[in-house]
């Protein structure tokens, strides 16, 4: 197994494969971070919209009395 791993690392194909795996791993992490940020931004926008709607409703009630 050690001999196979050493020959795999020494060959150009082995290095290219390791580089590709690293690139895919970095891309996967970046996608995960973007999804997490987008979810938090969506939650914040929903909260802001709810508060704005509530305030506008209260202002509408003041004008009616």
């Amino acid at each position: 197994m050690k001999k196979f791993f050493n020959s795999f690392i020494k060959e150009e194909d082995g290095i290219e494969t390791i580089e590709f795996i690293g690139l895919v791993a970095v891309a996967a992490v970046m996608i995960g971070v973007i999804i997490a940020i987008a979810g938090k931004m969506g939650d914040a926008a929903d909260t802001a919209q709810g508060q704005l709607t509530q305030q506008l409703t209260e202002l509408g009630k003041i004008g009616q009395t």
Side-chain angles (χ1 to χ4, degrees):
M1 183 70 167
K2 185 177 180 180
K3 184 177 179 181
F4 171 75
F5 184 72
N6 286 337
S7 67
F8 182 77
I9 295 296
K10 287 180 184 178
E11 293 178 15
E12 284 187 30
D13 291 340
I15 297 297
E16 290 175 2
T17 302
I18 292 171
E19 288 174 352
F20 181 73
I21 290 170
L23 181 64
V24 169
V26 169
V29 169
M30 289 177 65
I31 289 170
V33 168
I34 290 169
I35 290 171
I37 290 172
K40 289 186 180 200
M41 288 178 65
D43 292 344
D46 290 341
T47 301
Q49 182 180 7
Q51 290 175 349
L52 182 60
T53 301
Q54 181 183 5
Q55 294 297 320
L56 289 173
T57 301
E58 289 179 18
L59 283 174
K61 289 178 184 177
I62 292 172
Q64 293 176 355
T65 53

